[in-house]
């Protein structure tokens, strides 16, 4: 699609009123590639063929090589959890960054994973309801605070956050995983908020 062919999409679908673990929709501001027009190159960029059904990924598939690199990084951060930070706390970091950035869609997705893997549903809901200053116990408080520091001003993240994470029991590999999860979603939120908007649960 050339610049002269760009069509902005608008929708009357309702915005979500609150952060939630319910399934939030997402509407693109630009037209995704039609599913029937996806080539082998596009499908390779999607990594998972099922993502061809998703407007967000079909929009990103306009640059399939970048999408593939983005998707492989995402999968490695969140699914390669045999060592390092437990999956629940990787998802907590993504939820905290998304809550701070105001990305209702990303917060809904990753809060569901955080609640599922941790079984701490009430604490996850408290983070969504009260924000990043919610009292979640020191280990989770430290994870959230570090994620927020990276989200607000990445180059301000430093020794204070590392000391607090170590005091809460995280080792260097776990801290590295937390940084990757929060940093990835700090970027991903801004992308998702720039090219579309959340839609309230049905």
């Amino acid at each position: 699609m050339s610049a002269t062919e760009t069509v902005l999409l608008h929708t009357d679908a309702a915005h979500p009123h609150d952060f939630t673990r319910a399934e939030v929709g997402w509407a693109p501001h630009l037209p995704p590639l039609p599913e029937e027009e996806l080539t082998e190159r596009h499908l390779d960029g999607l990594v998972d063929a099922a993502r061809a059904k998703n407007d967000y990924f079909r929009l990103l598939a306009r640059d399939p090589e970048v999408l593939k690199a983005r998707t492989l990084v995402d999968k490695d951060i969140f699914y390669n959890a045999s060592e390092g930070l437990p999956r629940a706390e990787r998802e907590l970091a993504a939820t905290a960054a998304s809550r701070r950035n105001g990305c209702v869609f990303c917060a809904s997705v990753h809060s569901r994973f955080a609640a599922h893997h941790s079984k701490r549903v009430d604490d996850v809901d408290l983070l969504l309801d009260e924000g990043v200053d919610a009292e979640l116990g020191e280990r989770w408080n430290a994870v959230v605070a570090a994620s927020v520091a990276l989200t607000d001003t990445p180059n301000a993240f430093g020794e204070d956050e590392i000391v607090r994470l170590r005091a809460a029991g995280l080792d260097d590999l776990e801290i590295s995983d937390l940084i990757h999860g929060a940093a990835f979603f700090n970027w991903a939120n801004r992308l998702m908020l720039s090219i579309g908007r959340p839609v309230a649960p049905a």
Side-chain angles (χ1 to χ4, degrees):
M1 174 180 294
S2 70
T4 57
E5 296 172 327
T6 299
V7 178
L8 294 177
L9 304 178
H10 301 281
T11 175
D12 294 329
H15 282 262
H17 291 295
D18 302 295
F19 286 89
T20 176
R21 283 187 294 110
E23 291 197 21
V24 172
W26 183 82
H29 294 317
L30 296 167
L33 286 170
E35 189 175 351
E36 62 274 12
E37 293 182 14
L38 295 174
T39 66
E40 287 301 316
R41 177 173 166 244
H42 295 125
L43 294 171
D44 182 62
L46 287 166
V47 179
D48 292 332
R51 293 186 175 193
K53 302 290 185 187
N54 184 291
D55 283 348
Y56 176 67
F57 291 113
R58 289 203 324 279
L59 180 53
L60 296 185
R62 291 187 177 280
D63 193 341
E65 288 76 26
V66 170
L67 173 58
K68 183 174 183 178
R70 169 242 177 257
T71 300
L72 293 175
V73 170
D74 181 16
K75 286 180 171 290
D76 197 41
I77 289 171
F78 290 97
Y79 293 94
N80 185 9
S82 59
E83 297 180 303
L85 198 66
R87 174 77 185 277
E89 291 171 343
R90 298 179 193 214
E91 299 293 349
L92 177 66
T95 303
S98 301
R99 180 65 173 84
R100 184 66 158 192
N101 277 328
C103 190
V104 177
F105 180 88
C106 293
S108 75
V109 171
H110 293 279
S111 64
R112 286 197 300 276
F113 283 128
H116 170 75
H117 289 287
S118 70
K119 311 306 181 192
R120 293 175 58 175
V121 175
D122 290 345
D123 285 330
V124 172
D125 285 347
L126 196 63
L127 172 61
L128 294 176
D129 293 343
E130 295 187 4
V132 296
D133 294 323
E135 175 54 53
L136 307 174
E138 180 50 26
R139 183 177 171 102
W140 272 29
N141 287 347
V143 169
V144 169
S147 301
V148 167
L150 280 164
T151 298
D152 284 350
T153 309
N155 63 2
F157 174 90
E159 184 176 354
D160 290 346
E161 288 76 24
I162 298 295
V163 167
R164 184 175 182 185
L165 289 165
R166 285 184 175 143
L170 279 73
D171 62 25
D172 287 352
L173 183 55
E174 290 175 316
I175 292 170
S176 176
D177 288 335
L178 183 158
I179 290 169
H180 290 138
F184 184 89
F185 264 86
N186 190 21
W187 167 81
N189 296 156
R190 285 162 168 75
L191 175 62
M192 183 155 255
L193 290 167
S194 297
I195 62 175
R197 72 167 183 83
V199 174

